[in-house]
Structure formats: structure tokens, C-alpha cells
Amino acid sequence: MAKVRVPSSVIAAGGLVGGYGVARWTKKRPLGGVVLAVAGAAAAQQWRQRAGGKAAGALTVAYVAAFAGSHPLAKKVGAWPSVLGVAGAVALASWAVADRRA
């Protein structure tokens, strides 16, 4: 049986979108934080394997910055557009740095 590997760009974007969705729908922000952290750790592991430690560090910083930056952006464009926008940006960066090499 072939091993299917989910691209790190999908994991990272899914962590941002899924973390927000879980927090919003359960009304338990810490639960959303768990989703965000687990996905971020899984993506970081792939980033490290595919692109090395420096790239993984930079993409991890981008992931955390996207999460933090989505909050003030949400005040201007709305929550979902903000989350989807930063998730798309992180996915694009992840693909460009790590996934397209695979």
C-alpha cells in the first residue's frame, strides 16, 4: 500500500482555518489552539525534512505571524476573509519553499 503524504502547505493552511473554525464553533479557544499547534508542528516537521532547518524556522515564524496578524486584519475585512487570506499566504510560502521540491 502506497504511503500518501499530505503537502505541508495543506497542513499549514488547514491548521489556521481549522484552528479558527474549531475555536469559533465550539466556543473553546484553547481547543482551537490545540488544532493550530498540532498542525503547525506537523507542517514544521515536513518543512525541516524537505527544506532544512533555516527554512523550517522561517516558515514557522510566518505561520505564527499569520495567526497573530489575522486578528487585526479581521477588524478590517472580517474574520473568515482574514483567516482564509493568511492561510492562503502561508500555503503559498510553504509550497514555494518546501512542497514544490517534493
Side-chain angles (χ1 to χ4, degrees), residues 20-59:
Y20 174 69
V22 166
R24 180 172 177 145
W25 291 314
T26 65
K27 298 188 185 339
K28 295 183 179 171
R29 292 179 75 175
L31 192 56
V34 169
V35 171
L36 181 78
V38 168
Q45 182 179 15
Q46 283 193 24
W47 293 331
R48 195 174 316 106
Q49 290 171 350
R50 293 181 181 169
K54 287 183 182 180
L59 288 168

Side-chain angles (χ1 to χ4, degrees), residues 46-91:
Q46 283 193 24
W47 293 331
R48 195 174 316 106
Q49 290 171 350
R50 293 181 181 169
K54 287 183 182 180
L59 288 168
T60 299
V61 167
Y63 184 78
V64 173
F67 167 70
S70 69
H71 292 81
L73 182 60
K75 292 179 181 179
K76 296 180 191 255
V77 300
W80 277 113
S82 173
V83 170
L84 294 173
V86 300
V90 169

